[in-house]
Amino acid sequence: MKTNHYIVGIETSCDETAVAIVKNGKEIISNVVASQIDSHKRFGGVVPEVASRHHVEQITIVLEEAFKEASLTWEDIDAIAVTEGPGLVGALLVGVNTGKALAFAKQKPLIGVHHIAGHIYANRFEREFDFPLLALIVSGGHTELVLMNDHGTYELIGETRDDAAGEAYDKVARMLELPYPGGPQIDSLAARGAESINFPRAWLEEDSFDFSFSGLKSSVINTIHNARQRGETLSKEDIAASFQASVVDVLITKTLKAAQTYNVRQVIVAGGVAANQGLRQSLEEKFSQADIPLLIPPLRLCTDNAAMIAAAGFVAYEQGKRSGWDLNANPSLVLK
Ligand code: KG4
Ligand code: ZN
């Protein structure tokens, strides 16, 4: 009986072409990410057609690099895990078809993985999961609270009704004429600003764990417009700090309440916005006060990568889940 299992992960859902090899779902053997950020910067956001073309150009190079870095061969590999959704359809298709072609050629099991399950499993490289756990997912496309009672099971208890947190960051950044992606830019401006503007917080209904960020985004945009019309210039640092304070306040208050309501043993944070310094700091403070164990992945594992896909794929592999040759890119795949 083989004791070690090696999974190849493939991720192409947005603007990173990534391949990784992971041992037993917990140990990164190689993790190669080719970012396209520079190509999209001049358009102020991800251009789907440009993204797909880059993935096609990069995927074989990144795949070879991942094997070289790992010093492994296909003989060592047990399965191939690939992001099947959600994401940009043309971008996803590159990964899905690469996964299928490799699985067919190398005679390996194929496993379709939900992108958000991947973000969640990025935390397993740090520490073993303790169930029931609550995951706060904050990325460019998602803001969700997911309850997990065991490996590979996901129950959505709250989600955004409009913009995702990362999307709000990127839109506000554009208003402030900051380069794409705006999240990290606002994060560093915020560290130097004062929370001098009282932007709204959307709490929604008392018992709801849903989020809404479009009102906040509009309020920031109106504040900037009004100031410009009056010929005033507001400090970008203060706008960033005040905007971030509102986002962080809502995210943390709702996550804490959900953690207490569901009596979880662990809270984990995932997605690109988990890289936010202000959010990380406040989370650590609030959850240590509440005495609830908190897990946030290291910065390099917060944003899109394929190690997280391989880690989530390993769990599915162990549970005997397999995808067929009909596996397809699914831009609106539901986490379950
Ligand atoms: O998870 P991710 O890499 O891609 C998606 O699956 O969406 O997340 C990207 C998002 C972008 O909106 C980016 O602006 C945001 O994460 N982001 C941040 C920070 N770093 C990345 N937002 C706030 N603060 C950051 N430091
Ligand atoms: Zn992502």
Side-chain angles (χ1 to χ4, degrees), residues 11-18 33-38 40-41 45-47 50-52 54-55 88 91 115 180-181 303-304:
E11 155 65 39
T12 64
S13 68
C14 190
D15 59 349
E16 329 276 356
T17 315
V33 182
S35 173
Q36 313 173 356
I37 284 179
D38 286 341
H40 297 290
K41 235 178 199 158
V46 177
V47 183
V50 175
S52 312
H54 274 289
H55 287 309
L88 303 168
H115 182 75
Y180 174 85
T303 44
D304 290 350

Side-chain angles (χ1 to χ4, degrees), residues 67-317:
F67 271 88
K68 210 165 97 194
E69 219 175 74
S71 302
L72 293 173
T73 68
W74 277 103
E75 294 268 288
D76 305 305
I77 303 302
D78 293 280
I80 299 166
V82 58
T83 309
E84 59 173 312
L88 303 168
V89 67
L92 286 164
L93 272 171
V94 179
V96 167
N97 284 317
T98 303
K100 278 161 89 168
L102 288 169
F104 186 74
K106 308 290 182 190
Q107 299 282 294
K108 304 286 177 187
L110 177 69
I111 299 158
V113 171
H114 193 288
H115 182 75
I116 296 303
H119 274 301
I120 292 173
Y121 272 91
N123 284 279
R124 208 179 174 200
F125 297 119
E126 288 293 287
R127 208 184 307 158
E128 191 47 272
F129 287 179
D130 196 5
F131 300 106
L133 69 77
L134 178 73
L136 167 69
I137 296 114
V138 272
S139 74
H142 297 262
T143 305
E144 284 162 15
L145 281 169
V146 173
L147 184 68
M148 289 176 73
N149 284 310
D150 203 348
H151 281 296
T153 69
Y154 312 92
E155 187 190 333
L156 188 67
I157 61 164
E159 63 187 325
T160 183
R161 294 189 185 168
D162 39 62
D163 292 356
E167 198 177 346
Y169 266 95
D170 294 336
K171 285 178 181 166
V172 167
R174 203 179 304 181
M175 271 306 291
L176 293 175
E177 291 158 348
L178 301 168
Y180 174 85
Q185 307 276 340
I186 299 222
D187 195 8
S188 62
L189 280 180
R192 287 178 271 127
E195 291 166 31
S196 54
I197 310 160
N198 191 13
F199 287 127
R201 275 107 168 115
W203 299 114
L204 308 173
E205 306 80 45
E206 170 104 50
D207 56 348
S208 172
F209 294 121
D210 281 351
F211 300 94
S212 164
F213 292 105
S214 75
L216 167 63
K217 176 195 68 190
S218 305
S219 173
V220 176
I221 292 172
N222 288 339
T223 304
I224 299 172
H225 273 155
N226 293 343
R228 277 185 193 154
Q229 271 166 3
R230 289 196 302 269
E232 294 168 13
T233 34
L234 295 169
S235 141
K236 285 189 184 181
E237 285 82 358
D238 290 359
I239 296 174
S242 308
F243 162 75
Q244 183 152 303
S246 168
V247 175
V248 169
D249 192 6
V250 175
L251 287 177
I252 294 191
T253 307
K254 295 224 172 201
T255 308
L256 194 54
K257 193 170 167 208
Q260 286 159 340
T261 305
Y262 289 93
N263 214 0
V264 299
R265 296 168 68 95
Q266 201 176 44
V267 169
I268 67 180
V269 190
V273 184
N276 188 274
Q277 293 299 339
L279 178 63
R280 294 171 86 95
Q281 247 170 36
S282 308
L283 277 167
E284 269 154 21
E285 232 176 77
K286 287 278 158 48
F287 280 87
S288 105
Q289 277 165 15
D291 209 18
I292 300 172
L294 173 78
L295 211 54
I296 314 180
L299 286 180
R300 72 194 162 87
L301 292 176
C302 286
T303 44
D304 290 350
N305 65 83
M308 66 185 201
I309 302 303
F314 172 75
V315 167
Y317 173 77

